[in-house]
Amino acid sequence: MRPPAALSIAGTDPSGGAGIHADLKAFSARGVYGTTVITALVAQNTHGVSRVYPVDADFVADQFAAVLDDMPVDAAKTGMLGSRELVELTVEQVRTRDLGFLTVDPVMVATSGHRLLEEDAVEAVRTLLAPVADLITPNLPEAALLLGDDVAPASDAEEQRAHALELVARGSRAVLLKGGHMAGNELLDVLAVRVGEGIVLREFRHPKVATAHTHGTGCTLSAAITAEAAASARAGRDPREPEELAEVVGTSLDYLARALASGAEWQVMYEPAGAHGPVDHMVDLMRTAE
């Protein structure tokens, strides 16, 4: 007897809205036991990142061993890796260990605009990490960067679909291309999945929540997907199968929409001007004060 278990490989956020902190909240909210490998200590809050303290690769490797030598995980996700060395180390772990279903959130730039991935690591994410993932979850600017340094982010639904298809054509098994950066009142997310020699597209549409509280949304969604994939695998289903993956993604998008709506009116910071507040990760579990 054991619960579904998930592993987050990412950096910290002492303000609790993103990174490892958000991932553990989302894992718990989705009923999954959470484990972690910390790649960086990040001093950040709702106003931005002030400092990043990288964790040595040998200690990151020790954390992998501490978790994976002791317990099974049903699914894993990557967030902030920071350097090419850590991207390569993570790929090695994926190839030599059983991490279950792997979600790659290609974290490159924080919501505040602070760069979180070294320039020489981008190519490693493109060519090494994305191909070993079961699902990558880029936003529009991240997808463009994965396609090339001179590629502009998609500006409409047609370009968004084309970028998702191209990422799968270049070697990714499945891509959830998030449309949160697109203008308009409706949010479009495109799921592209390799099936045999072809690619199947699935689209998810939500009303866009009008809020500045978007800190950690990418982390939260990828963590929810990882948790749902872990629960699916633990229940004997295959989250890599296209229909099951679509169910996992749809359930996770619905959870994020509820978390965004619930946290939209929060003010957890002293000075709200220019801040990006967190979502309500525990929306389904807690009643907030009036």
Side-chain angles (χ1 to χ4, degrees), residues 7-266:
L7 170 65
S8 172
I9 307 153
T12 64
D13 175 8
S15 71
I20 289 283
H21 297 70
D23 292 348
L24 287 176
K25 291 177 186 178
F27 289 167
S28 296
R30 306 312 300 162
V32 171
Y33 182 81
T35 63
T36 65
V37 168
I38 296 175
T39 58
L41 305 179
V42 185
Q44 65 174 312
N45 56 26
T46 62
H47 288 272
V49 175
S50 58
R51 186 179 177 189
V52 175
Y53 187 85
V55 176
D56 290 341
D58 62 339
F59 188 68
V60 173
D62 285 346
Q63 293 178 76
F64 272 113
V67 174
L68 298 175
D69 288 351
D70 185 51
M71 60 182 67
V73 295
D74 302 294
K77 63 152 290 189
T78 66
M80 177 185 175
L81 296 178
S83 69
R84 183 180 184 92
E85 184 179 21
L86 290 186
V87 173
E88 293 173 345
L89 171 61
T90 301
V91 171
E92 178 186 7
Q93 294 292 319
V94 173
R95 289 175 172 163
T96 59
R97 300 274 200 163
D98 183 8
L99 274 66
F101 182 96
L102 179 65
T103 304
V104 167
D105 184 13
V107 175
M108 298 177 181
V109 180
T111 302
S112 61
H114 191 283
R115 189 178 184 95
L116 299 176
L117 184 68
E118 294 175 2
E119 289 189 19
D120 68 346
V122 174
E123 183 63 22
V125 172
R126 288 173 184 155
T127 61
L128 300 178
L129 185 59
V132 302
D134 293 299
L135 176 70
I136 63 173
T137 61
N139 58 32
L140 298 180
E142 290 165 344
L145 190 54
L146 288 173
L147 289 171
D149 294 333
D150 58 350
V151 176
S155 59
D156 56 34
E158 183 177 356
E159 289 184 353
Q160 186 178 354
R161 296 183 192 101
H163 282 191
L165 289 168
E166 182 63 21
L167 285 168
V168 174
R170 293 192 185 189
S172 296
R173 297 174 188 172
V175 175
L176 177 65
L177 183 43
K178 303 172 295 187
H181 287 75
M182 200 83 74
N185 296 322
E186 186 177 60
L187 183 64
L188 171 65
D189 299 301
V190 176
L191 176 64
V193 183
R194 183 184 303 280
V195 180
E197 297 300 314
I199 302 172
V200 175
L201 283 181
R202 183 75 62 91
E203 296 185 358
F204 303 86
R205 295 179 182 272
H206 290 275
K208 185 177 287 188
V209 179
T211 177
H213 292 190
T214 57
H215 180 53
T217 49
C219 304
T220 301
L221 177 59
S222 58
I225 289 171
T226 305
E228 294 296 332
S232 170
R234 190 72 182 122
R237 300 187 296 274
D238 183 2
R240 298 177 179 88
E241 193 275 327
E243 288 303 314
E244 183 67 14
L245 179 56
E247 181 69 22
V248 163
V249 168
T251 299
S252 302
L253 286 168
D254 288 343
Y255 160 71
L256 178 61
R258 292 193 302 276
L260 275 163
S262 181
E265 301 303 320
W266 281 4

